């Protein structure tokens, strides 16, 4: 029998799919719910909750499939009487709302990417008769000034700090501008206040994210000048902050000023994440990306000149429409020259709403798969070599993300969570450091993605 009423002490679960930016939004939605109902219980698993909110990704077909599968699973729980209300929000409903409603007609509410700003909805969600799930328009000023309590859902060691939303670039493979709209930077004052709250909540590391972090503030001034360097200077002075990390820097906006701020700060990790996507000028031009020959090598050399100990990450796409075997082999050759600490690649995904879906010479799926394997084999060799030189038999500072029976796990200061080196540390009979602590370990073994060490 399906339970129709919410518990007197309501229980809520938020399932966040997709990227780190989605996770920051999910925590803001959950924070608003709990601020309105302080006695509510936050559940890690949907089957334990009265209300389940699923913040979806819609960037790729695979992400939309994952959202449907997640909604199907929670709907089965609802049919068994475990869940009263299901809410779907985010990128998937933004452009595919009719599809969501057709497949999941029993949802309590469906909202797009402006869901986070619907304060009245979140404040009433756990009440017996909450307001209807109608998404109200939000103007630019309200988005820039928006503040909401965050309820951190992950490790105490880090929190994502979203500084802007949307994107004004026009990469031909990407649907984000269609889903999210143009870039909207949050005001510096709002960002600083949220950063202060995250530090007070116990976050050791703040990770700045947006679709194009290096373009932060270009929409805030008549001159359209990036304001990221100025924002970082202010965050670097924030009392209590221990580590700052910046993700997703657009190649043409990685200026000398920005690199000097990162390299000369007190708290910013010497970590530079620049998604190049490719190195061949013809492919880059077709992608709508900066396409000057040799620009990736010159930029990486500049990073290393200004920040000699920098850890550098990038992402690439293989199998883009029209990519020839010769162009792919040139990419591999450039990869060996770049010698990036970390690089990931994705096989091109043909999305109907992306301009590139209509390009001729689409690359066959088997060819894309083979190129992806070859790319990762080359990068694994590079990463293993770099890890051996940089870390093996050396003592390094690490950020603790969690504990196991035999020790702790975490990262070096040059590694971002989930995407870079994972570090397992044996503690022996020593007391386990807590998540968020910074301690030292001697690295005893290295691979392309994993490090092992002993706590000092």
């Amino acid at each position: 029998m399906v339970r129709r009423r919410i518990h007197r002490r309501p229980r809520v679960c938020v399932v966040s799919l997709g990227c780190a930016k989605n996770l920051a939004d999910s925590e803001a939605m959950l924070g608003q719910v709990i601020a309105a109902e302080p006695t509510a219980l936050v559940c890690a698993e949907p089957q334990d909750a009265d209300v389940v909110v699923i913040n979806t990704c819609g960037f790729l077909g695979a992400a939309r499939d994952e959202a449907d599968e997640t909604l199907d699973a929670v709907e089965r729980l609802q049919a068994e009487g475990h869940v009263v209300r299901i809410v779907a929000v985010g990128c998937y409903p933004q452009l595919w709302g009719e599809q969501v409603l057709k497949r999941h007609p029993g949802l309590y509410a469906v909202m797009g990417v402006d869901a986070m700003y619907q304060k009245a909805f979140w404040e009433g969600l756990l009440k017996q008769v909450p307001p209807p799930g109608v998404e109200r328009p939000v103007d630019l000023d309200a988005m820039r000034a928006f503040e909401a309590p965050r309820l951190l859902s992950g490790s105490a060691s880090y929190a994502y700090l979203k500084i802007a939303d949307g994107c004004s670039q026009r990469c031909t493979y990407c649907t984000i501008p269609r889903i999210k709209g143009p870039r909207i930077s949050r005001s510096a004052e709002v960002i600083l206040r949220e950063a202060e709250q995250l530090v007070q909540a116990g976050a050791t590391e703040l990770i700045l994210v947006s679709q194009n972090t290096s373009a932060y503030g270009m929409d805030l001034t008549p001159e359209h000048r990036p304001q990221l360097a100025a924002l970082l200077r202010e965050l670097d002075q924030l009392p209590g902050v221990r580590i700052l990390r910046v993700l997703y820097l657009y190649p043409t906006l990685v200026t000398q000023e920005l690199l000097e701020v990162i390299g000369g700060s007190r708290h910013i990790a010497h970590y530079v994440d620049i998604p190049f996507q490719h190195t061949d000028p013809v492919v880059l031009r077709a992608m709508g990306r900066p396409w000057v020959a040799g620009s990736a090598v010159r930029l990486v050399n500049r990073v290393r000149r200004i920040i000699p100990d920098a850890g550098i990450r990038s992402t690439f796409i293989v199998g883009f429409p029209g990519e020839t075997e010769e162009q792919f082999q040139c990419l591999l050759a450039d990869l060996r020259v770049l010698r990036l600490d970390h690089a990931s690649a994705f096989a091109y995904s043909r999305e109907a709403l992306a301009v590139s879906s209509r390009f001729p010479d689409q690359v066959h799926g088997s060819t894309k798969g083979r190129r992806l394997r070859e790319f990762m084999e080359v990068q694994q060799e590079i990463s293993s070599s770099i890890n051996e030189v940089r870390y093996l038999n050396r003592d390094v500072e690490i950020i603790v993300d969690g504990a196991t029976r035999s020790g702790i796990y975490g990262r070096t200061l040059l590694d971002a969570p989930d995407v870079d080196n994972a570090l397992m540390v044996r503690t022996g009979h020593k007391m386990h450091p807590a998540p968020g602590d910074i301690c030292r370990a001697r690295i005893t073994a290295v691979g392309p993605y994993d490090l092992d060490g002993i706590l000092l």
Side-chain angles (χ1 to χ4, degrees), residues 101-404:
L101 289 169
K102 184 176 181 179
R103 177 161 173 169
H104 310 282
L107 295 178
Y108 177 74
V110 176
M111 293 182 284
V113 296
D114 286 350
M116 179 177 63
Y117 306 108
Q118 310 304 316
K119 183 178 179 181
F121 175 82
W122 299 115
E123 289 179 345
L125 180 61
L126 299 185
K127 300 184 184 303
Q128 298 299 340
V129 186
V134 177
E135 193 170 5
R136 299 178 181 178
V138 184
D139 62 37
L140 295 183
D141 290 339
M143 294 174 75
R144 289 187 174 119
F146 179 78
E147 295 184 73
R150 288 266 300 276
L151 189 61
L152 299 183
S153 56
S155 167
S157 60
Y158 63 89
Y160 292 102
L161 179 59
K162 195 169 84 167
I163 64 173
D165 211 351
C167 186
S168 296
Q169 305 301 137
R170 289 295 181 264
C171 302
T172 60
Y173 53 82
C174 185
T175 57
I176 291 297
R178 291 282 300 273
I179 297 171
K180 289 275 195 174
R183 176 186 57 256
I184 300 172
S185 300
R186 302 176 70 193
S187 76
E189 293 78 10
V190 166
I191 293 170
L192 289 166
R193 282 196 292 270
E194 182 168 313
E196 185 176 10
Q197 292 166 7
L198 294 172
V199 169
Q200 290 173 352
T204 296
E205 176 181 2
L206 302 183
I207 306 175
L208 276 64
V209 292
S210 71
Q211 302 297 336
N212 179 356
T213 307
S214 49
Y216 170 76
M218 291 181 69
D219 53 316
L220 296 178
T221 65
E223 300 82 13
H224 301 290
R225 291 176 57 86
Q227 305 296 312
L228 179 60
L231 177 65
L232 286 172
R233 289 190 187 97
E234 294 192 71
L235 287 168
D236 194 38
Q237 302 300 318
L238 189 70
V241 69
R242 300 185 69 184
I243 303 171
L244 295 164
R245 190 181 305 275
V246 186
L247 302 186
Y248 319 132
L249 302 174
Y250 197 76
T252 57
L253 297 176
V254 182
T255 62
Q256 179 165 328
E257 179 192 20
L258 179 59
L259 292 174
E260 288 175 349
V261 169
I262 293 173
S265 71
R266 293 186 298 166
H267 302 111
I268 305 173
H270 290 181
Y271 180 90
V272 182
D273 175 19
I274 312 171
F276 287 118
Q277 309 302 6
H278 213 282
T279 60
D280 181 83
V282 175
V283 176
L284 286 168
R285 191 171 189 177
M287 288 179 169
R289 304 278 297 182
W291 52 271
V292 176
S295 59
V297 172
R298 287 192 293 274
L299 180 50
V300 167
N301 287 341
R302 184 202 295 171
V303 172
R304 289 178 173 143
R305 185 180 70 251
I306 298 173
I307 314 174
D309 63 341
I312 307 176
R313 151 169 283 279
S314 190
T315 54
F316 296 84
I317 297 173
V318 300
F320 188 80
E323 182 192 55
T324 66
E325 189 63 28
E326 181 182 5
Q327 289 167 335
F328 172 67
Q329 293 301 325
C330 287
L331 171 61
L332 294 186
D334 287 338
L335 193 62
R336 294 184 177 98
V337 172
L338 291 169
R339 287 189 60 78
L340 304 170
D341 296 74
H342 308 289
S344 57
F346 303 90
Y348 169 76
S349 178
R350 189 177 188 178
E351 291 294 313
L353 295 180
V355 173
S356 59
S357 69
R358 302 186 290 276
F359 286 1
D361 301 322
Q362 297 283 328
V363 178
H364 192 274
S366 61
T367 301
K368 290 191 286 188
R370 188 259 303 167
R371 290 178 182 175
L372 179 60
R373 289 192 298 274
E374 290 185 16
F375 181 101
M376 293 312 300
E377 287 170 0
V378 170
Q379 182 56 42
Q380 285 169 6
E381 292 178 4
I382 294 169
S383 293
S384 291
S385 173
I386 290 174
N387 282 344
E388 183 172 352
V389 172
R390 190 189 287 271
Y391 296 121
L392 187 59
N393 297 322
R394 294 179 181 271
D395 300 344
V396 299
E397 279 194 317
I398 65 170
I399 310 163
V400 179
D401 288 331
T404 66

Side-chain angles (χ1 to χ4, degrees), residues 342 384 387 391 420-424 443 445-452:
H342 308 289
S384 291
N387 282 344
Y391 296 121
D420 296 332
N421 289 318
L423 173 59
M424 300 298 298
I443 306 303
V446 301
Y449 309 120
D450 302 300
L451 310 175
D452 292 329

